[in-house]
Amino acid sequence: LSQRQFCTRPLPAPFIRFPACSPPKQMQAPTEMDVMQCQMNEMCKAALLQMEAAVDDELAKVENMTEDDLSKIRQNRIAEMKARAEQKQEWTHNGHGSLSKITEQKDFFEASKKSEKLVAIFTRDSNRYGQIMKEHMSVLAQRHLEARFVWVDAENAPFLTDRLNIYMLPTIVCVKGNKVHKQHNGLDEIDGSGKYSTGMLEYLLHTDEMIDEAPMYDEEIREEEEELADLDD
């Protein structure tokens, strides 16, 4: 048998077909959203530069302060603290700091004149929702001296209920500057079921511009967010 002869020459490379080059794509024109985003970025940059410049100015003022400047700042702070203390003393003298009952109808007008802000609840002893609201208001009265909190027995104040058009109990009447500023008949604007918190009532009066802040409401919101975060985990 003859021995097979093996070829040692390299085999020809296979023919490879390369895809044809596609023409370059044309650049697309910026969309309206792109333009708006660019404008917003520029506005943010400008705002940050202004804030940075303002901070630099304040730092420069602090660095260049003299002893006279520091003395004036201390005097102004002492004057502010003294004014706040006198204001709190006046509020306490006028019945602020607790929920008090208006027994005589004329006392309602006197209280409205003495206090810049007066929050009044019109209800009656037999009204369960009115009793709950009085409990909430008692807490708020202790925390917010900037307003006076009172309650009126609607059955014994026919002139006031008629003049203020009170047709549902309990009703909240907010007096500011000796004028009726806001009025809430019933609980629909808070919670019609009556299951509302002190913080929710605080937030309502804050939006009515009757109290300065709503820290209890803010705390309730934080607690709810933390509970929801724990459930997600």
Side-chain angles (χ1 to χ4, degrees), residues 48-190:
L48 289 174
L49 289 175
Q50 291 180 358
M51 292 176 61
E52 185 178 358
V55 171
D56 290 340
D57 291 341
E58 291 299 323
L59 290 175
K61 290 179 181 178
V62 172
E63 292 176 353
N64 297 326
M65 276 187 178
T66 62
E67 287 296 330
D68 292 338
D69 295 330
L70 294 175
S71 178
K72 290 179 181 179
I73 292 175
R74 294 192 202 96
Q75 292 176 2
N76 291 335
R77 287 181 178 176
I78 292 173
E80 291 175 0
M81 293 172 61
K82 184 178 179 181
R84 285 197 296 266
E86 292 176 351
Q87 181 68 79
K88 287 183 178 180
Q89 186 176 0
E90 181 181 355
W91 284 338
T92 303
H93 178 73
N94 290 334
H96 294 228
S98 62
L99 178 67
S100 55
K101 181 180 180 180
I102 298 293
T103 56
E104 299 292 336
Q105 296 185 87
K106 62 181 180 63
D107 294 339
F108 177 83
F109 298 103
E110 290 296 326
S112 300
K113 292 178 182 178
K114 290 182 179 179
S115 299
E116 175 65 19
K117 298 177 181 179
L118 178 74
V119 179
I121 312 170
F122 283 79
T123 184
R124 57 172 178 261
D125 291 331
S126 59
N127 189 297
R128 179 169 65 91
Y129 296 108
Q131 295 296 333
I132 295 173
M133 181 173 288
K134 285 163 59 178
E135 293 176 3
H136 290 306
M137 290 292 192
S138 295
V139 176
L140 294 178
Q142 297 174 18
R143 290 173 172 264
H144 296 279
L145 294 179
E146 65 269 25
R148 185 179 179 187
F149 291 78
V150 300
W151 77 278
V152 182
D153 190 337
E155 291 183 344
N156 297 328
F159 175 76
L160 287 176
T161 54
D162 180 67
R163 181 170 179 177
L164 297 174
N165 191 28
I166 295 174
Y167 57 87
M168 190 178 298
L169 299 178
T171 286
I172 302 174
V173 178
C174 300
V175 181
K176 187 177 180 181
N178 202 23
K179 295 181 181 180
V180 176
H181 178 64
K182 293 284 185 178
Q183 185 164 325
H184 304 283
N185 296 304
L187 301 175
D188 290 340
E189 296 182 48
I190 311 172

